[in-house]
Amino acid sequence: MSATLLDGKAVAAEVTEALRARAAALPRPPGLAVVLVGDDPASAVYVRNKTRTAEKVGLAHWQITLPAHTAESDLLAEVRRLADDPQVDGILVQFPVPGHIDRLRVIDSIPPEKDVDGLHALNAGYLATKRDGFVPCTPLGCMELLKRSGVATRGAEAVVIGRSDLVGRPIARLLEHADCTVTACHSRTRDLAAHVARADIVVAAVGIPRMVKGGWVKPGAVVLDVGINKGADGKLVGDVDFEAARERAGFITPVPGGVGPMTIAMLMANTVKSAERRLAR
Ligand code: NAD
């Protein structure tokens, strides 16, 4: 059996098309500001893709690029300026930031109502308590793809590999809210293979190329591969051994073209949601 591909690119195109109509219905375009500190090439690509999609959706968007030696206080002042700007509905600081900048201080400086990346402690708390806040974009994108697979989540065994605040932890919460029985695996987990073998839904968010072996996957399982790694040949590979896993899985996301485009679509969704909320006030 060969798995059905969960085509994130196609689903993301549908999502952004629907968002375009919502954005156009507002009295002013939703505004997204993306702040990039330094010249990390991967971050530059992510930011470029985000602004390109923002353009398609009809958002007002600003890219603020600061040099790598920017002082933390100057970055915080820039975030404050965006926080005070009424045209800006969403602020995203692209991580990682250079080592001399405290990531948590940056996250804390973003007003929760403009935190479209969903990293602020208040939004994490809203997610944990099942209230309506901003949820990180990659986990939201995973849930949308899971919905498209049509696989029932109620009572399903879900295994999440990775426990970052950006991906692993929030996706585990969302799966739990969708009535899955969730196992959160991480770098200290014993016998990862045994956990994966029980899973109806596997989410891999680790950052190690092809670490999830095809033979671990339960036949018919849904496999969501969040990992974006550069292979020896310079091509992108996920955290799952795709070729082997697709022989056993029921549904699987490719890398690239799976979770990645959905992450960007969900950033647009969070920005439109923020604008709708702020304009309704
Ligand atoms: P991270 O480094 O913050 O977290 C990695 C997690 O993996 C940690 O919680 C750690 O406990 C776990 N881990 C490490 N080694 C492990 C092992 N041997 N076994 C089990 N767990 C282990 O990374 P992140 O920000 O969560 O990102 C994970 C991956 O997803 C990266 O490849 C990143 O590039 C990618 N990513 C993709 C998107 C997207 O849009 N597709 C978005 C964000 C991140």
Side-chain angles (χ1 to χ4, degrees), residues 8-17 19-20 22 32 49-50 53-54 57 59 116 137-138 140-141 144 258-273:
K9 211 170 157 188
V11 177
E14 283 173 39
V15 170
T16 49
E17 195 50 42
L19 288 170
R20 223 158 76 89
R22 270 170 65 189
L32 172 66
N49 289 340
K50 285 168 187 172
T53 311
V57 175
L59 306 189
V116 285
C137 306
T138 302
L140 271 185
E144 191 63 38
V259 176
M262 290 303 292
T263 296
I264 297 177
M266 293 301 135
L267 174 65
M268 305 303 134
N270 276 349
T271 306
V272 172
K273 171 177 162 173

Side-chain angles (χ1 to χ4, degrees), residues 138 161-164 167 186-187 205-207 211 226-229 259-260 263:
T138 302
I161 318 171
R163 56 177 166 183
S164 68
V167 190
H186 46 76
S187 54
V206 183
M211 62 108 53
V226 177
I228 301 179
N229 313 286
V259 176
T263 296

Side-chain angles (χ1 to χ4, degrees), residues 34-55:
V34 180
V35 183
L36 175 64
V37 187
D39 43 21
D40 176 54
S43 293
V45 172
Y46 295 146
V47 168
R48 202 175 319 127
N49 289 340
K50 285 168 187 172
T51 49
R52 201 176 291 152
T53 311
E55 187 68 38

Side-chain angles (χ1 to χ4, degrees), residues 188-248:
R188 300 284 179 261
T189 296
R190 274 185 254 132
D191 203 355
L192 184 61
H195 288 291
V196 172
R198 289 190 284 103
D200 303 304
I201 299 162
V202 182
V203 183
V206 183
I208 302 178
R210 297 195 182 97
M211 62 108 53
V212 176
K213 303 302 170 209
W216 300 357
V217 174
K218 179 173 163 177
V222 182
V223 178
L224 302 173
D225 189 352
V226 177
I228 301 179
N229 313 286
K230 211 165 223 176
D233 55 0
K235 287 194 183 144
L236 295 183
V237 286
D239 289 344
V240 176
D241 182 355
F242 178 81
E243 292 307 332
R246 77 181 300 185
E247 293 308 314
R248 292 170 67 92

